[in-house]
Amino acid sequence: DVKVTQSSRYLVKRTGEKVFLECVQDMDHENMFWYRQDPGLGLRLIYFSYDVKMKEKGDIPEGYSVSREKKERFSLILESASTNQTSMYLCASSLGGGYSNQPQHFGDGTRLSIL
Amino acid sequence: SQQGEEDPQALSIQEGENATMNCSYKTSINNLQWYRQNSGRGLVHLILIRSNEREKHSGRLRVTLDTSKKSSSLLITASRAADTASYFCATTGRSGGSYIPTFGRGTSLIVHP
């Protein structure tokens, strides 16, 4: 089974801090994704990557950056955390190479609170 | 941008009853997927239906797709308390070299024992 592991289930940080959320997948997937999930808004795509060192903006990239130095690891960075970034963050991976009929595999999420 | 919209937003049924959730979308799709999310957990993929398919089954799940109406339905038969979860549909868009699923807001299903 594919395993997507997010480094923390719960995280509390202060306004203005630089925050790193880490995600690791063990199935050699090309594609990796970061979403945030808020009540009533569903999942919104922040960034995704379809290869090492490649990244593309999703729907809500402002205030975030990402890093993918190795195929299995995709990091989300909050450059200067703000209270409106309090949310559940979900990482996902999928097979890539142009395949469109591949499901996404999700981690259990990181519930981030910015005080 | 949100593509799929699930209906109803919330559904409450008794164990043993069937549960039907619907998903509508606006633009042409390559495929449509359904996911389940248990409280406080990540999403789990349930089933994928391609745009040239009309119906698909997996255990107690039945998914239909009507591309002329731009809609899909997920039917869970003989529901169990363990089916209590949120259910999301996701349609594919295209960006860069890969296809990116776009998720709806979900249907919250409660199955009472």
Side-chain angles (χ1 to χ4, degrees), chain A residues 6-13 19-21 87-89 108-114, chain B residues 39-41:
Chain A
Q6 294 184 231
S7 53
S8 305
R9 290 295 306 276
Y10 302 93
L11 206 53
V12 180
K13 295 291 182 180
V19 181
F20 294 85
L21 302 183
S87 187
M88 167 75 105
Y89 289 87
D108 274 339
T110 295
R111 191 166 292 282
L112 175 64
S113 295
I114 307 295
Chain B
S39 180
R41 307 298 296 270

Side-chain angles (χ1 to χ4, degrees), chain B residues 11-107:
Chain B
L11 185 59
S12 180
I13 60 174
Q14 294 295 128
E15 210 166 29
E17 294 180 342
N18 295 342
T20 300
M21 288 157 267
N22 302 296
C23 172
S24 59
Y25 56 92
K26 295 186 175 70
T27 61
S28 295
I29 61 171
N30 189 54
N31 65 57
L32 187 145
Q33 303 176 51
W34 285 93
Y35 289 80
R36 183 187 76 233
Q37 183 181 33
N38 289 74
S39 180
R41 307 298 296 270
L43 279 72
V44 175
H45 181 259
L46 295 176
I47 201 161
L48 181 151
I49 186 165
R50 294 177 173 77
S51 58
N52 61 354
E53 297 175 312
R54 292 296 166 257
E55 190 169 311
K56 216 163 176 182
H57 296 255
S58 176
R60 292 184 297 112
L61 306 181
R62 174 178 167 252
V63 168
T64 61
L65 179 64
D66 187 336
T67 53
S68 67
K69 294 181 179 177
K70 291 187 169 60
S71 69
S72 173
S73 67
L74 169 66
L75 168 68
I76 304 173
T77 59
S79 63
R80 305 166 182 167
D83 294 327
T84 293
S86 292
Y87 292 82
F88 294 86
C89 69
T91 54
T92 54
R94 185 170 186 175
S95 183
S98 299
Y99 290 84
I100 311 298
T102 303
F103 290 82
R105 291 183 172 88
T107 291

Side-chain angles (χ1 to χ4, degrees), chain A residues 26-39:
Chain A
D26 66 357
M27 280 301 291
D28 205 35
H29 283 171
E30 288 82 4
N31 299 328
M32 296 189 75
F33 309 82
W34 275 107
Y35 294 90
R36 64 176 283 176
Q37 184 177 26
D38 300 287

